[in-house]
Amino acid sequence: MRAVLDYCSGGTERQIKAGELILTEGGSTGHLYVLMDGKLEVIKGGTVVATIAEPGAVFGEMSVLLDRPHTATVRASQDSTIYEFQDAASFLIQEPAVALMLARMLAQRLNVANTYLADLKRQYAGHGTHLAMVGDVLQSMINLPQLEVEPGSDRQSDPRM
């Protein structure tokens, strides 16, 4: 994702102190973030589930793309520099190369999750434990209903313009 760094203009560079929250699980910002340097923690339900340390790593994208609240909290685990795009949807429309990079990253994450779930299904097939339901989880992921998506913004236009 280092290539994203080439697109970091038109937003705001921010210095974040260790311990500072950048986004909060359940909150909504509509912002997209890129790590310039430092180290961040991704926290879900009070548990650290990932660390972000690679310059160019993008976060906040799931909330932006799904138009839903953030699914996790992101906190600086050391002093860090991030780049923030306040109108992330417009940025992604203007920079389709970044949107494609995000799509590839998300597809890679989905592939890893599917591979892991398929492996669990194979290992626990016929055991009758709660892990036997992994097949149902995989099937439900395949058959998720498509969301209606319309270009543009849900915000009302400014009558002064």
Side-chain angles (χ1 to χ4, degrees):
M1 291 299 292
R2 285 184 182 268
V4 171
L5 295 172
D6 295 337
Y7 296 90
C8 287
S9 62
T12 304
E13 187 173 306
R14 290 180 43 205
Q15 302 299 314
I16 307 296
K17 296 288 183 194
E20 186 177 338
L21 296 181
I22 301 165
L23 54 90
T24 305
E25 183 174 354
S28 294
T29 63
H31 300 186
L32 187 69
Y33 305 87
V34 178
L35 178 65
M36 305 298 276
D37 66 65
K39 190 173 182 182
L40 311 172
E41 299 172 314
V42 179
I43 305 160
K44 178 105 173 127
T47 302
V48 176
V49 295
T51 300
I52 303 171
E54 181 182 349
V58 177
F59 57 102
E61 77 286 347
M62 287 176 33
S63 176
V64 169
L65 294 171
L66 297 174
D67 193 25
R68 306 263 169 136
H70 295 294
T71 59
T73 295
V74 176
R75 174 179 62 206
S77 56
Q78 66 184 47
D79 289 354
S80 303
T81 305
I82 63 170
Y83 203 82
E84 180 177 9
F85 296 97
Q86 292 186 3
D87 188 354
S90 293
F91 169 70
L92 292 173
I93 289 168
Q94 293 168 6
E95 297 293 350
V98 176
L100 180 59
M101 284 186 253
L102 280 179
R104 286 182 173 150
M105 177 194 67
L106 292 170
Q108 182 178 14
R109 286 184 193 166
L110 181 59
N111 183 49
V112 168
N114 283 341
T115 300
Y116 177 74
L117 288 171
D119 187 48
L120 279 177
K121 181 179 178 180
R122 186 174 47 259
Q123 288 181 44
Y124 290 93
H127 282 80
T129 66
H130 67 283
L131 291 172
M133 71 175 203
V134 170
D136 296 336
V137 172
L138 283 168
Q139 190 62 39
S140 70
M141 288 172 64
I142 291 169
N143 294 319
L144 286 174
Q146 185 173 353
L147 296 174
E148 291 293 322
V149 178
E150 294 181 32
S153 171
D154 289 339
R155 296 180 184 163
Q156 299 220 355
S157 60
D158 188 336
R160 297 172 292 176
M161 298 181 154

